[in-house]
Amino acid sequence: MVTFENVSKEYPDGTVAVQNLNLEIEKGELVVLIGPSGCGKTTSLKMINRLEEPTSGTIYVDGKDISSTNPVALRRSIGYVIQQIGLFPHMSIEENIAIVAKLHKWKKNKMAKRVDELLILAGLTPPSKYKYRLPDQLSGGQQQRIGVLRALAVEPNVVLMDEPFGALDPISRESLQNELIDLQQRLKKTIVFVTHDIDEALKLADKIVIMRQGKVVQAGTPAEIQAKPVNKFVADFIGQERLASVGADSPVYVIMEDAPLVVTPDIDAQLVLEQIEDLGRESAQIVDKSGRWLGMAQLPQVKRAARQGAKVKQAAVAGRKLYIEEAVLSDAAEMLIDADLPIPIVDETNKFVGLVTSNGIAKLTISRLNKQKKMQEQAQLAADGADKKGVS
């Protein structure tokens, strides 16, 4: 479906973004391009719809050399989802989803039917509840769902996704990943997906393409890459035992997470309550416009403020936090034992930077236990080998 033949991209300043890329992406395959910053993954994706033009080589989509295709027509035939979502703020959700269909001059009743089909497909039901809203009336996760639906509107065979979930909170990101898996099982589109998150790649991909300095280092299924990394770079990049060496005195930032919900103090508590419930969470972090942390609003306090018609700042509790410059994991563990609530992490200026949760501690514990088990197995194998030598 998508083929790169000896494709290179060099910019006028001499920067080589992609070097002699040869890659075959099969029909119905979800392929993830991943690698460190500057590896060429996004440039490779953008060359598929000619947002970037290759310096040399040929790219084929559905057997056709794209250099001979009108760029505008090509882009309209390929779905495209970006991290910034890119919804038109003055258009309704229905108008945003149907924008490409309108460019294709679909009839109004056909567009309306397709919008309803897609909203139902994404679980945004009933469609009448959502399609007349403006984008800022939806949560960030819902907006990104609309971005995905817009890319699918005219039923393209190929969909490009450039870090589509990278700006979302962890809960929304996981939910959308699961929805994409479900959609792909039903629709079987050819998807080229760029991410910097190896866990996301391992979860979503049929095939992972790991890039470095404009070249493919390894391509294979998630199982193949985890079982047989071709070199130390790949092994390190996929994070083998990346948490196993972390200890009690390690800084908290090694397991710090993004906050699922961050709000400003003057938002109505009722709106925050709806967002908390939509995300299935128990709290929200409150920050001012400069990013300073003002407190954490827990669900019971938010409900009380909502009943009173108050702003969410009325629900803020500001006494429980850790400073990123000095806190270690043992500090966080003690606080979580005392109360199993997310711990806000701030810097020395009280700017909010993230959370530490019991889930993060649990992942760390599992990683350390797995390493301990592996070391025990290796020690046992060595001992068995020594015994066999002694017998012989």
mmCIF file of all heavy atoms in Angstrom, residues 243-271:
data_model
loop_
_atom_site.group_PDB
_atom_site.id
_atom_site.type_symbol
_atom_site.label_atom_id
_atom_site.label_comp_id
_atom_site.label_asym_id
_atom_site.label_seq_id
_atom_site.Cartn_x
_atom_site.Cartn_y
_atom_site.Cartn_z
ATOM 1 N N LEU A 243 13.331 0.535 34.450
ATOM 2 C CA LEU A 243 12.986 0.918 35.815
ATOM 3 C C LEU A 243 13.684 0.048 36.862
ATOM 4 O O LEU A 243 13.618 0.349 38.047
ATOM 5 C CB LEU A 243 11.465 0.818 36.019
ATOM 6 C CG LEU A 243 10.597 1.827 35.281
ATOM 7 C CD1 LEU A 243 9.133 1.542 35.563
ATOM 8 C CD2 LEU A 243 10.938 3.245 35.698
ATOM 9 N N ALA A 244 14.315 -1.019 36.402
ATOM 10 C CA ALA A 244 14.811 -2.011 37.353
ATOM 11 C C ALA A 244 15.919 -1.488 38.257
ATOM 12 O O ALA A 244 16.117 -1.977 39.362
ATOM 13 C CB ALA A 244 15.299 -3.253 36.601
ATOM 14 N N SER A 245 16.670 -0.497 37.808
ATOM 15 C CA SER A 245 17.777 0.013 38.619
ATOM 16 C C SER A 245 17.376 1.172 39.521
ATOM 17 O O SER A 245 18.194 1.719 40.233
ATOM 18 C CB SER A 245 18.917 0.463 37.693
ATOM 19 O OG SER A 245 18.472 1.492 36.834
ATOM 20 N N VAL A 246 16.092 1.541 39.478
ATOM 21 C CA VAL A 246 15.626 2.654 40.309
ATOM 22 C C VAL A 246 15.476 2.183 41.748
ATOM 23 O O VAL A 246 14.971 1.097 42.018
ATOM 24 C CB VAL A 246 14.270 3.179 39.773
ATOM 25 C CG1 VAL A 246 13.692 4.224 40.703
ATOM 26 C CG2 VAL A 246 14.457 3.750 38.382
ATOM 27 N N GLY A 247 15.914 3.027 42.706
ATOM 28 C CA GLY A 247 15.847 2.668 44.116
ATOM 29 C C GLY A 247 15.114 3.692 44.950
ATOM 30 O O GLY A 247 14.618 4.706 44.441
ATOM 31 N N ALA A 248 15.074 3.444 46.248
ATOM 32 C CA ALA A 248 14.324 4.307 47.173
ATOM 33 C C ALA A 248 14.845 5.730 47.190
ATOM 34 O O ALA A 248 14.083 6.674 47.447
ATOM 35 C CB ALA A 248 14.376 3.717 48.582
ATOM 36 N N ASP A 249 16.146 5.896 46.930
ATOM 37 C CA ASP A 249 16.733 7.240 46.962
ATOM 38 C C ASP A 249 16.766 7.908 45.587
ATOM 39 O O ASP A 249 17.357 8.983 45.437
ATOM 40 C CB ASP A 249 18.161 7.170 47.534
ATOM 41 C CG ASP A 249 18.168 6.754 48.994
ATOM 42 O OD1 ASP A 249 17.211 7.120 49.710
ATOM 43 O OD2 ASP A 249 19.117 6.069 49.417
ATOM 44 N N SER A 250 16.128 7.281 44.606
ATOM 45 C CA SER A 250 16.066 7.895 43.279
ATOM 46 C C SER A 250 15.096 9.073 43.297
ATOM 47 O O SER A 250 14.123 9.075 44.062
ATOM 48 C CB SER A 250 15.603 6.877 42.242
ATOM 49 O OG SER A 250 16.508 5.794 42.140
ATOM 50 N N PRO A 251 15.323 10.077 42.454
ATOM 51 C CA PRO A 251 14.418 11.243 42.439
ATOM 52 C C PRO A 251 13.024 10.873 41.961
ATOM 53 O O PRO A 251 12.854 9.951 41.156
ATOM 54 C CB PRO A 251 15.116 12.206 41.466
ATOM 55 C CG PRO A 251 15.998 11.340 40.620
ATOM 56 C CD PRO A 251 16.446 10.226 41.505
ATOM 57 N N VAL A 252 12.041 11.606 42.435
ATOM 58 C CA VAL A 252 10.650 11.263 42.109
ATOM 59 C C VAL A 252 10.351 11.395 40.628
ATOM 60 O O VAL A 252 9.432 10.744 40.124
ATOM 61 C CB VAL A 252 9.651 12.138 42.908
ATOM 62 C CG1 VAL A 252 9.684 11.797 44.375
ATOM 63 C CG2 VAL A 252 9.887 13.612 42.669
ATOM 64 N N TYR A 253 11.121 12.214 39.914
ATOM 65 C CA TYR A 253 10.757 12.443 38.512
ATOM 66 C C TYR A 253 10.888 11.191 37.652
ATOM 67 O O TYR A 253 10.340 11.134 36.554
ATOM 68 C CB TYR A 253 11.550 13.597 37.899
ATOM 69 C CG TYR A 253 13.049 13.403 37.807
ATOM 70 C CD1 TYR A 253 13.618 12.547 36.876
ATOM 71 C CD2 TYR A 253 13.911 14.115 38.641
ATOM 72 C CE1 TYR A 253 14.988 12.388 36.789
ATOM 73 C CE2 TYR A 253 15.282 13.965 38.559
ATOM 74 C CZ TYR A 253 15.818 13.097 37.628
ATOM 75 O OH TYR A 253 17.175 12.946 37.549
ATOM 76 N N VAL A 254 11.588 10.144 38.134
ATOM 77 C CA VAL A 254 11.749 8.943 37.301
ATOM 78 C C VAL A 254 10.428 8.215 37.105
ATOM 79 O O VAL A 254 10.275 7.440 36.153
ATOM 80 C CB VAL A 254 12.807 7.976 37.883
ATOM 81 C CG1 VAL A 254 14.161 8.623 37.940
ATOM 82 C CG2 VAL A 254 12.392 7.444 39.247
ATOM 83 N N ILE A 255 9.458 8.420 37.999
ATOM 84 C CA ILE A 255 8.148 7.784 37.801
ATOM 85 C C ILE A 255 7.034 8.836 37.749
ATOM 86 O O ILE A 255 5.852 8.501 37.880
ATOM 87 C CB ILE A 255 7.830 6.742 38.895
ATOM 88 C CG1 ILE A 255 7.813 7.382 40.291
ATOM 89 C CG2 ILE A 255 8.790 5.584 38.835
ATOM 90 C CD1 ILE A 255 7.192 6.489 41.339
ATOM 91 N N MET A 256 7.410 10.078 37.507
ATOM 92 C CA MET A 256 6.410 11.140 37.458
ATOM 93 C C MET A 256 5.547 10.996 36.211
ATOM 94 O O MET A 256 6.025 10.611 35.146
ATOM 95 C CB MET A 256 7.099 12.497 37.468
ATOM 96 C CG MET A 256 6.175 13.683 37.669
ATOM 97 S SD MET A 256 7.119 15.203 37.921
ATOM 98 C CE MET A 256 7.861 15.404 36.291
ATOM 99 N N GLU A 257 4.258 11.284 36.350
ATOM 100 C CA GLU A 257 3.301 11.179 35.255
ATOM 101 C C GLU A 257 2.683 12.544 34.964
ATOM 102 O O GLU A 257 2.686 13.434 35.811
ATOM 103 C CB GLU A 257 2.161 10.206 35.641
ATOM 104 C CG GLU A 257 2.616 8.845 36.100
ATOM 105 C CD GLU A 257 1.475 8.046 36.709
ATOM 106 O OE1 GLU A 257 0.302 8.406 36.472
ATOM 107 O OE2 GLU A 257 1.762 7.067 37.426
ATOM 108 N N ASP A 258 2.122 12.671 33.769
ATOM 109 C CA ASP A 258 1.306 13.841 33.461
ATOM 110 C C ASP A 258 0.005 13.767 34.244
ATOM 111 O O ASP A 258 -0.508 12.674 34.518
ATOM 112 C CB ASP A 258 0.988 13.907 31.968
ATOM 113 C CG ASP A 258 2.222 14.141 31.120
ATOM 114 O OD1 ASP A 258 3.175 14.742 31.634
ATOM 115 O OD2 ASP A 258 2.226 13.718 29.953
ATOM 116 N N ALA A 259 -0.540 14.907 34.606
ATOM 117 C CA ALA A 259 -1.812 14.936 35.322
ATOM 118 C C ALA A 259 -2.960 14.686 34.361
ATOM 119 O O ALA A 259 -3.003 15.279 33.275
ATOM 120 C CB ALA A 259 -1.996 16.281 36.021
ATOM 121 N N PRO A 260 -3.918 13.821 34.722
ATOM 122 C CA PRO A 260 -5.072 13.579 33.842
ATOM 123 C C PRO A 260 -5.925 14.820 33.617
ATOM 124 O O PRO A 260 -6.508 14.979 32.551
ATOM 125 C CB PRO A 260 -5.868 12.504 34.595
ATOM 126 C CG PRO A 260 -4.895 11.873 35.523
ATOM 127 C CD PRO A 260 -3.936 12.943 35.896
ATOM 128 N N LEU A 261 -5.988 15.702 34.633
ATOM 129 C CA LEU A 261 -6.858 16.866 34.504
ATOM 130 C C LEU A 261 -6.242 18.055 35.243
ATOM 131 O O LEU A 261 -6.008 17.991 36.448
ATOM 132 C CB LEU A 261 -8.244 16.568 35.080
ATOM 133 C CG LEU A 261 -9.290 17.674 34.963
ATOM 134 C CD1 LEU A 261 -9.503 18.059 33.495
ATOM 135 C CD2 LEU A 261 -10.608 17.241 35.589
ATOM 136 N N VAL A 262 -5.963 19.109 34.501
ATOM 137 C CA VAL A 262 -5.430 20.360 35.066
ATOM 138 C C VAL A 262 -6.387 21.481 34.674
ATOM 139 O O VAL A 262 -6.724 21.631 33.496
ATOM 140 C CB VAL A 262 -4.013 20.652 34.532
ATOM 141 C CG1 VAL A 262 -3.501 21.978 35.087
ATOM 142 C CG2 VAL A 262 -3.062 19.522 34.896
ATOM 143 N N VAL A 263 -6.821 22.260 35.660
ATOM 144 C CA VAL A 263 -7.804 23.317 35.403
ATOM 145 C C VAL A 263 -7.339 24.625 36.038
ATOM 146 O O VAL A 263 -6.498 24.631 36.939
ATOM 147 C CB VAL A 263 -9.193 22.938 35.958
ATOM 148 C CG1 VAL A 263 -9.718 21.681 35.290
ATOM 149 C CG2 VAL A 263 -9.152 22.749 37.479
ATOM 150 N N THR A 264 -7.894 25.718 35.581
ATOM 151 C CA THR A 264 -7.626 27.028 36.177
ATOM 152 C C THR A 264 -8.643 27.305 37.278
ATOM 153 O O THR A 264 -9.735 26.729 37.290
ATOM 154 C CB THR A 264 -7.674 28.134 35.111
ATOM 155 O OG1 THR A 264 -8.910 28.028 34.392
ATOM 156 C CG2 THR A 264 -6.516 27.995 34.136
ATOM 157 N N PRO A 265 -8.320 28.183 38.218
ATOM 158 C CA PRO A 265 -9.146 28.326 39.427
ATOM 159 C C PRO A 265 -10.535 28.893 39.208
ATOM 160 O O PRO A 265 -11.442 28.635 40.017
ATOM 161 C CB PRO A 265 -8.307 29.252 40.313
ATOM 162 C CG PRO A 265 -7.395 29.965 39.381
ATOM 163 C CD PRO A 265 -7.094 29.006 38.295
ATOM 164 N N ASP A 266 -10.745 29.653 38.156
ATOM 165 C CA ASP A 266 -12.019 30.330 37.990
ATOM 166 C C ASP A 266 -13.018 29.587 37.100
ATOM 167 O O ASP A 266 -14.032 30.151 36.681
ATOM 168 C CB ASP A 266 -11.780 31.745 37.441
ATOM 169 C CG ASP A 266 -11.070 32.622 38.458
ATOM 170 O OD1 ASP A 266 -11.397 32.518 39.652
ATOM 171 O OD2 ASP A 266 -10.172 33.388 38.062
ATOM 172 N N ILE A 267 -12.727 28.325 36.828
ATOM 173 C CA ILE A 267 -13.683 27.498 36.101
ATOM 174 C C ILE A 267 -14.790 27.066 37.060
ATOM 175 O O ILE A 267 -14.543 26.780 38.236
ATOM 176 C CB ILE A 267 -12.995 26.265 35.489
ATOM 177 C CG1 ILE A 267 -12.038 26.689 34.371
ATOM 178 C CG2 ILE A 267 -13.999 25.262 34.947
ATOM 179 C CD1 ILE A 267 -11.300 25.548 33.728
ATOM 180 N N ASP A 268 -16.015 26.985 36.547
ATOM 181 C CA ASP A 268 -17.132 26.526 37.373
ATOM 182 C C ASP A 268 -16.871 25.107 37.873
ATOM 183 O O ASP A 268 -16.455 24.218 37.103
ATOM 184 C CB ASP A 268 -18.433 26.529 36.572
ATOM 185 C CG ASP A 268 -18.936 27.939 36.286
ATOM 186 O OD1 ASP A 268 -18.484 28.871 36.981
ATOM 187 O OD2 ASP A 268 -19.763 28.091 35.374
ATOM 188 N N ALA A 269 -17.132 24.881 39.145
ATOM 189 C CA ALA A 269 -16.930 23.559 39.728
ATOM 190 C C ALA A 269 -17.777 22.503 39.022
ATOM 191 O O ALA A 269 -17.361 21.350 38.896
ATOM 192 C CB ALA A 269 -17.250 23.592 41.220
ATOM 193 N N GLN A 270 -18.961 22.888 38.544
ATOM 194 C CA GLN A 270 -19.837 21.939 37.861
ATOM 195 C C GLN A 270 -19.172 21.401 36.588
ATOM 196 O O GLN A 270 -19.235 20.203 36.300
ATOM 197 C CB GLN A 270 -21.168 22.602 37.510
ATOM 198 C CG GLN A 270 -22.150 21.697 36.765
ATOM 199 C CD GLN A 270 -22.538 20.470 37.563
ATOM 200 O OE1 GLN A 270 -22.767 20.557 38.772
ATOM 201 N NE2 GLN A 270 -22.603 19.315 36.912
ATOM 202 N N LEU A 271 -18.500 22.274 35.841
ATOM 203 C CA LEU A 271 -17.807 21.843 34.626
ATOM 204 C C LEU A 271 -16.657 20.896 34.973
ATOM 205 O O LEU A 271 -16.446 19.885 34.303
ATOM 206 C CB LEU A 271 -17.285 23.055 33.859
ATOM 207 C CG LEU A 271 -16.507 22.766 32.572
ATOM 208 C CD1 LEU A 271 -17.350 21.966 31.593
ATOM 209 C CD2 LEU A 271 -16.027 24.060 31.922
#
